Amino acid sequence: MSGQPAEDDDRDELQFGLFDWVDAVPGLSVAEVYDARLRVLAEADRGGFSTYHLAEHHGTPLGLSPSPAVFLAAAARVTERIRLAPTTFIVPLYDPLRLVQEICMLDQLSHGRLDIGVGKGSSPIEAAMYGLTPADTAARFESLFPAIVEALETGTFRRPDAEGPAASVPLHVAVHQRPHPPLWYPTSNAASIPRLGDEGYNVLFGFGFASPPLEVVREQSRIFFDSFRRSQAGGGVRYSLPGSPPRFGMLRHVLVAETDEAAVALARPAFDAHYDSFTHLWRAHGSDRFTGPPDFDALVAEDKLFVGSPETVAAQVARAREVGEINHFAGAFAWGSLDVEAVLTSVGLFRDQVVPAVR
């Protein structure tokens, strides 16, 4: 398969990625946020990181990249090594033919560096902006996603239950990677893990500070790989790639500075700003899902925020690595009010000191 990951693809080795919401930065315009993120991505492209994960959100300062494909098209031109992974394309919000064609274009623009994250969407409020209920999004995903994968594999899109010209559309821009780019499915729902293992997706489990404790991650990684191996033995794992066992990853917010004190001084106010963006829609619609900022120091102590010197963060990552069969770690490096220079320093220290120490 063309377009192999930038780092060693040994599935027993821990890979490192970046996760990005592209949330609003106080005092910066949207254009300035985009420019800053592309600087960070170019720095990560120098090495140490396998994958850039980009979230999709709508109607919220948490996500200034409501079209991941547009941003990743720009990212493809300022990077050469790192893989680019919309995580996720919210499949129910797209016309499936349009989404297939955008995936093919991105895979070609990146010369085979595209991964594809897919999902039903995590926010019922955002789905409602498109006139959809949670039941609608689930039904659309189950109906549309198999047709999307079939089109990537065959070069022909067949619209479910359609007749006439819409029933069969040849793709004149095909994917660069065969049979299709690697597939990811992020989730915080433990009930989904056996199915995702059965189907062979790569998985990101949890969402940073809102993630479950490491003990839960350990158990879910075991369930995931047990399910994958059983399904593989039975000829299943529909969405895995030949010869490529899946990745089971976790996500954490990361800030590395020269000292613990310097990192905490930067991270504490930045986290408050990020939390405001993270909870914006829920608060705006009167939800009591988030009742107030969690205790910052407790999150660090519980290994839900990785903040500190290179030595401190390396110890946190090492503890996470020991919890089970985790083989992918995605760090959210740019969030809240963090200045781009602080983020670039954090990425550099993580790459140059944390990664070697953990490996």
Side-chain angles (χ1 to χ4, degrees), residues 18 35-45 334 340 343-344 347:
L18 295 88
D35 290 344
R37 288 303 207 272
L38 290 174
R39 286 183 63 192
V40 172
L41 188 48
E43 179 66 23
D45 191 55
V340 65
V343 176
L344 290 170
V347 168

Side-chain angles (χ1 to χ4, degrees), residues 297-358:
D297 297 308
L299 290 174
V300 174
E302 295 166 1
D303 287 331
K304 292 188 176 182
L305 295 179
F306 286 7
V307 174
S309 67
E311 295 78 13
T312 295
V313 174
Q316 289 182 298
V317 176
R319 285 194 294 273
R321 180 67 175 97
E322 294 169 357
V323 303
E325 297 187 63
I326 291 173
N327 54 13
H328 189 80
F329 174 83
F333 286 85
W335 36 272
S337 58
L338 287 175
D339 176 82
V340 65
E341 298 300 333
V343 176
L344 290 170
T345 297
S346 179
V347 168
L349 289 171
F350 190 94
R351 177 193 58 226
D352 297 337
Q353 298 188 40
V354 174
V355 171
V358 172

Side-chain angles (χ1 to χ4, degrees), residues 10 107 120 192 204 211 216 232 237 247 281 284 290 303 305 315 317 319 350 355:
D10 181 348
D107 203 30
K120 303 169 187 176
S192 300
L204 274 181
S211 296
V216 175
Q232 184 182 44
V237 292
R247 296 218 162 254
L281 271 185
F290 297 97
D303 287 331
L305 295 179
V317 176
R319 285 194 294 273
F350 190 94
V355 171

